[in-house]
Amino acid sequence: MADINYDELFEVLAEFYEHMMPFNKLIGIKMETLTLETAVVKIAMKDELVGNSHKHILHGGVIAAALDFTGGVIAQLSVIKKMKHATPEELTKRLTRMGTIDMRVDYIRPGKGEYFTVTGELLRLGNKVAVVRSVFHNDDESLIAAGTGTYLVG
Amino acid sequence: MADINYDELFEVLAEFYEHMMPFNKLIGIKMETLTLETAVVKIAMKDELVGNSHKHILHGGVIAAALDFTGGVIAQLSVIKKMKHATPEELTKRLTRMGTIDMRVDYIRPGKGEYFTVTGELLRLGNKVAVVRSVFHNDDESLIAAGTGTYLVG
Amino acid sequence: MADINYDELFEVLAEFYEHMMPFNKLIGIKMETLTLETAVVKIAMKDELVGNSHKHILHGGVIAAALDFTGGVIAQLSVIKKMKHATPEELTKRLTRMGTIDMRVDYIRPGKGEYFTVTGELLRLGNKVAVVRSVFHNDDESLIAAGTGTYLVG
Amino acid sequence: MADINYDELFEVLAEFYEHMMPFNKLIGIKMETLTLETAVVKIAMKDELVGNSHKHILHGGVIAAALDFTGGVIAQLSVIKKMKHATPEELTKRLTRMGTIDMRVDYIRPGKGEYFTVTGELLRLGNKVAVVRSVFHNDDESLIAAGTGTYLVG
């Protein structure tokens, strides 16, 4: 059986993440990078994402959502990497069953900036759970927030 | 000096939370109850808040945002209670400086329902930080998620 | 096949927890209650468990260890309950594979007291993970600390 | 007034951490490095620290205690750095009031090894709280666990 066509897969996945997940669309999640090795998410500041209108800083909920989502994508990449001989159906089934079990977010600095990037690194990948640490930076490359999430795998 | 008029204060605060915090407005945060004793937040399901369109369940980011916000309101109530002889200016100054330091969210069940309610209880109130445990239920009164947040106080 | 003899099982388990887990023995973990429904752990204050000798309060590490352990026992009880038709071998195999994935601890009050009790409640039980919230009280019934742990199941 | 003699201060502090904190002594906390820039803690495996005697791995409670303690030391270093013109009395008073508010621990791999090292990095330092991420490695330099703690400062 032919192995997975990753270029195609990541194109489909990016499309799904940006357009088929309504809340991602609402807050403007964009996949800046999506490869077998890494995922980088980008979010542009916009008025509706502001927490406190006096200070024009991002609402903590947007930050938490982006950290959770990015961690989840990185957990999915690690599963995709592992299942390199799976059929598209097996892979889809597996990815669909994944979900966040718990997450910690640390808010480090106020969310000021025109755009923000979120990425992360896999800490643990087992048969049942993955643990990912994710980081949220602004366009000055200041660390705005960091998170650690535990994700159900398969 | 006259003490605080709480009815008036809570009316102003509810107005602020619902209309002056743009991201709260975007996700549809409503203050169902807001008294010196407790806060209950209500959110109605709507298409834009969905995480996975196949399953029509709430995105984890909405849940995290609502738990964080509700915990913050309960931390603010505890500060308001303590500062009962403060002037409106002192109180406003204090409330404005508050913010989330960190939060854990546990996702217990899929976020299915027509509406959701969020409330919480104060675990710790010191001069510097408050810790609040908050819970997110659906319209069946099933526990969807629980959170614990540490908030900067004053 | 005969069903599990729970009285015998819990006697064996209590013995194991108290005497075969060396670190539990070191800090003085005692099983005050261990039934299919609940677990209550008791720890007596002793000089070696003190964090700060000026203040004679329990070290945070003892509290974290006790919350983690108690949560794990409650996760195990929920598995035992579910596997009521399993053989002792199947059950032992399953319990042996369990372990803590992550935990949050909130330190609420200084750990003062002559003895402490720890118990908890199951928040989630799936095929892969259990989530347990646990609470640590002193002999005045003051809440000293609370924790939430995610445990690998099976 | 003369500035702080750091060599002397760190000698006194290391002595205090190792010998005046009874639980640290019980689990065998050693300060491998303690300078204005960093802290590295070392723990040797010993039978009493084992969680499960069949597997001879470190009990999660020892790991949590070590991550919490090391994070606290790094928070203290950051306060010492900031208070460089303080008198010893002011500094002592400040350090004594510090304490852990909350902590998350992620257990990544079983705690196997002859000795373990723990270090960390400051994520946030404000007037009221510090946030530190700490990491726990074995003698193979495998990451055994990671933690994030929020500490009361001042």
Side-chain angles (χ1 to χ4, degrees):
Chain A
M1 179 202 324
D3 279 355
I4 295 163
N5 178 334
Y6 288 116
D7 287 350
E8 210 178 277
L9 173 64
F10 290 130
E11 219 171 282
V12 171
L13 271 180
E15 180 73 16
F16 182 85
Y17 293 149
E18 291 180 2
H19 300 288
M20 304 289 283
M21 295 180 66
F23 186 67
N24 278 4
K25 211 170 160 184
L26 188 69
I27 64 175
I29 291 275
K30 295 285 165 205
M31 300 308 302
E32 183 158 88
T33 311
L34 185 62
T35 70
L36 208 51
E37 303 313 321
T38 190
V40 181
V41 163
K42 195 165 176 175
I43 295 186
M45 176 56 108
K46 48 181 189 170
D47 289 346
E48 306 93 285
L49 303 184
V50 164
N52 186 320
S53 46
H54 296 310
K55 299 182 184 167
H56 206 74
I57 57 174
L58 218 51
H59 191 288
V62 179
I63 295 172
L67 286 166
D68 176 13
F69 168 71
T70 308
V73 170
I74 286 169
Q76 293 195 327
L77 293 183
S78 68
V79 167
I80 291 170
K81 218 169 173 171
K82 219 175 162 182
M83 294 180 72
K84 49 176 176 261
H85 304 301
T87 63
E89 291 69 31
E90 287 167 341
L91 195 57
T92 305
K93 206 177 148 189
R94 187 78 176 266
L95 296 182
T96 313
R97 280 204 308 250
M98 293 179 68
T100 313
I101 301 168
D102 66 59
M103 186 183 43
R104 175 181 172 112
V105 179
D106 290 280
Y107 296 98
I108 315 289
R109 287 183 190 81
K112 281 182 194 158
E114 310 240 321
Y115 65 87
F116 305 92
T117 51
V118 202
T119 187
E121 67 171 317
L122 185 76
L123 294 184
R124 168 184 181 153
L125 178 64
N127 290 324
K128 286 161 190 156
V129 298
V131 178
V132 180
R133 175 166 156 83
S134 51
V135 285
F136 190 105
H137 289 89
N138 70 2
D139 43 16
D140 268 350
E141 294 183 31
S142 294
L143 181 66
I144 303 300
T148 308
T150 298
Y151 299 88
L152 206 59
V153 164
Chain B
M1 183 201 321
D3 279 353
I4 294 164
N5 178 334
Y6 289 116
D7 287 349
E8 208 178 278
L9 173 63
F10 290 130
E11 218 171 283
V12 171
L13 272 179
E15 179 74 15
F16 182 84
Y17 293 147
E18 292 180 2
H19 300 288
M20 304 288 284
M21 294 181 67
F23 186 67
N24 279 3
K25 212 171 159 181
L26 187 70
I27 64 176
I29 291 275
K30 295 286 165 203
M31 300 307 303
E32 184 158 88
T33 310
L34 186 62
T35 68
L36 207 50
E37 304 313 321
T38 190
V40 181
V41 163
K42 195 165 177 175
I43 296 186
M45 176 56 108
K46 48 180 189 170
D47 290 345
E48 307 93 282
L49 303 185
V50 164
N52 187 320
S53 44
H54 297 309
K55 301 183 187 165
H56 207 74
I57 56 174
L58 218 52
H59 191 290
V62 179
I63 295 172
L67 286 167
D68 176 12
F69 169 71
T70 307
V73 170
I74 286 168
Q76 292 194 328
L77 292 182
S78 69
V79 167
I80 291 170
K81 218 169 176 171
K82 217 177 164 181
M83 293 180 74
K84 52 175 174 262
H85 303 301
T87 63
E89 290 70 31
E90 286 166 341
L91 194 57
T92 306
K93 206 177 147 189
R94 187 77 177 266
L95 296 182
T96 313
R97 279 203 310 251
M98 293 178 68
T100 313
I101 301 168
D102 66 61
M103 186 182 44
R104 173 179 173 112
V105 178
D106 291 279
Y107 295 99
I108 315 288
R109 287 184 190 81
K112 279 182 197 158
E114 309 240 322
Y115 65 87
F116 305 91
T117 50
V118 202
T119 187
E121 69 171 315
L122 186 75
L123 293 184
R124 169 186 179 151
L125 178 64
N127 290 322
K128 286 160 190 155
V129 299
V131 178
V132 180
R133 174 165 157 84
S134 49
V135 285
F136 190 105
H137 289 90
N138 70 3
D139 43 17
D140 268 349
E141 294 183 31
S142 295
L143 182 65
I144 302 302
T148 307
T150 298
Y151 299 88
L152 205 60
V153 163
Chain C
M1 179 201 323
D3 278 354
I4 295 163
N5 178 334
Y6 288 118
D7 287 349
E8 210 178 276
L9 173 64
F10 290 129
E11 219 172 282
V12 171
L13 271 180
E15 181 74 15
F16 182 85
Y17 293 148
E18 291 181 2
H19 300 288
M20 304 289 282
M21 295 180 66
F23 186 68
N24 279 2
K25 210 170 161 182
L26 188 70
I27 64 174
I29 291 275
K30 296 284 167 207
M31 299 309 302
E32 185 160 87
T33 311
L34 185 63
T35 70
L36 208 51
E37 304 313 320
T38 190
V40 182
V41 163
K42 195 165 177 174
I43 295 186
M45 176 56 108
K46 48 182 188 169
D47 289 346
E48 307 92 285
L49 303 185
V50 164
N52 186 320
S53 45
H54 297 310
K55 300 182 186 167
H56 207 74
I57 58 174
L58 217 52
H59 191 289
V62 179
I63 295 172
L67 286 167
D68 177 13
F69 169 70
T70 308
V73 171
I74 286 168
Q76 292 195 327
L77 292 183
S78 68
V79 168
I80 291 170
K81 218 169 175 172
K82 219 175 160 181
M83 294 180 71
K84 51 176 175 262
H85 304 300
T87 63
E89 290 69 32
E90 286 166 342
L91 195 57
T92 305
K93 206 176 148 193
R94 186 78 178 266
L95 296 182
T96 314
R97 279 204 310 251
M98 293 178 68
T100 313
I101 302 168
D102 66 60
M103 186 182 43
R104 174 181 173 113
V105 179
D106 290 279
Y107 296 98
I108 316 287
R109 287 184 189 80
K112 282 181 195 158
E114 309 239 324
Y115 64 87
F116 305 92
T117 50
V118 202
T119 188
E121 67 171 316
L122 185 75
L123 294 184
R124 169 184 179 152
L125 177 64
N127 291 323
K128 286 160 189 158
V129 299
V131 178
V132 180
R133 175 167 158 84
S134 50
V135 285
F136 190 105
H137 288 90
N138 70 3
D139 44 16
D140 268 349
E141 294 183 32
S142 295
L143 181 65
I144 302 301
T148 308
T150 298
Y151 299 88
L152 206 59
V153 163
Chain D
M1 181 202 321
D3 279 353
I4 295 162
N5 179 334
Y6 288 116
D7 288 349
E8 210 179 276
L9 172 64
F10 290 130
E11 219 171 280
V12 172
L13 271 180
E15 180 74 16
F16 181 85
Y17 294 147
E18 291 180 2
H19 300 288
M20 302 289 283
M21 294 180 66
F23 186 67
N24 278 3
K25 212 170 160 182
L26 188 70
I27 64 175
I29 292 274
K30 295 285 166 205
M31 300 307 303
E32 184 159 86
T33 311
L34 185 63
T35 68
L36 207 49
E37 304 313 321
T38 190
V40 182
V41 162
K42 197 165 175 173
I43 295 186
M45 176 56 108
K46 48 181 192 170
D47 290 346
E48 307 93 283
L49 303 186
V50 164
N52 187 319
S53 45
H54 297 308
K55 301 182 185 167
H56 206 73
I57 57 174
L58 217 52
H59 191 289
V62 179
I63 295 173
L67 285 167
D68 177 13
F69 169 70
T70 308
V73 171
I74 286 168
Q76 292 194 327
L77 292 183
S78 69
V79 166
I80 291 169
K81 219 169 175 173
K82 217 176 162 180
M83 293 181 73
K84 53 177 175 261
H85 304 301
T87 62
E89 289 70 30
E90 286 167 341
L91 195 56
T92 305
K93 206 178 148 190
R94 187 78 177 266
L95 295 182
T96 313
R97 280 203 310 249
M98 292 177 70
T100 313
I101 302 168
D102 66 61
M103 186 182 43
R104 175 182 173 110
V105 178
D106 291 279
Y107 296 98
I108 316 288
R109 287 185 189 79
K112 281 180 194 158
E114 310 238 323
Y115 65 88
F116 304 92
T117 50
V118 203
T119 187
E121 69 171 314
L122 185 75
L123 293 185
R124 169 185 180 153
L125 177 64
N127 290 323
K128 286 160 190 157
V129 299
V131 179
V132 180
R133 175 166 157 84
S134 49
V135 285
F136 190 105
H137 289 90
N138 70 3
D139 43 17
D140 269 350
E141 294 183 31
S142 294
L143 182 65
I144 302 301
T148 308
T150 297
Y151 299 89
L152 206 60
V153 163

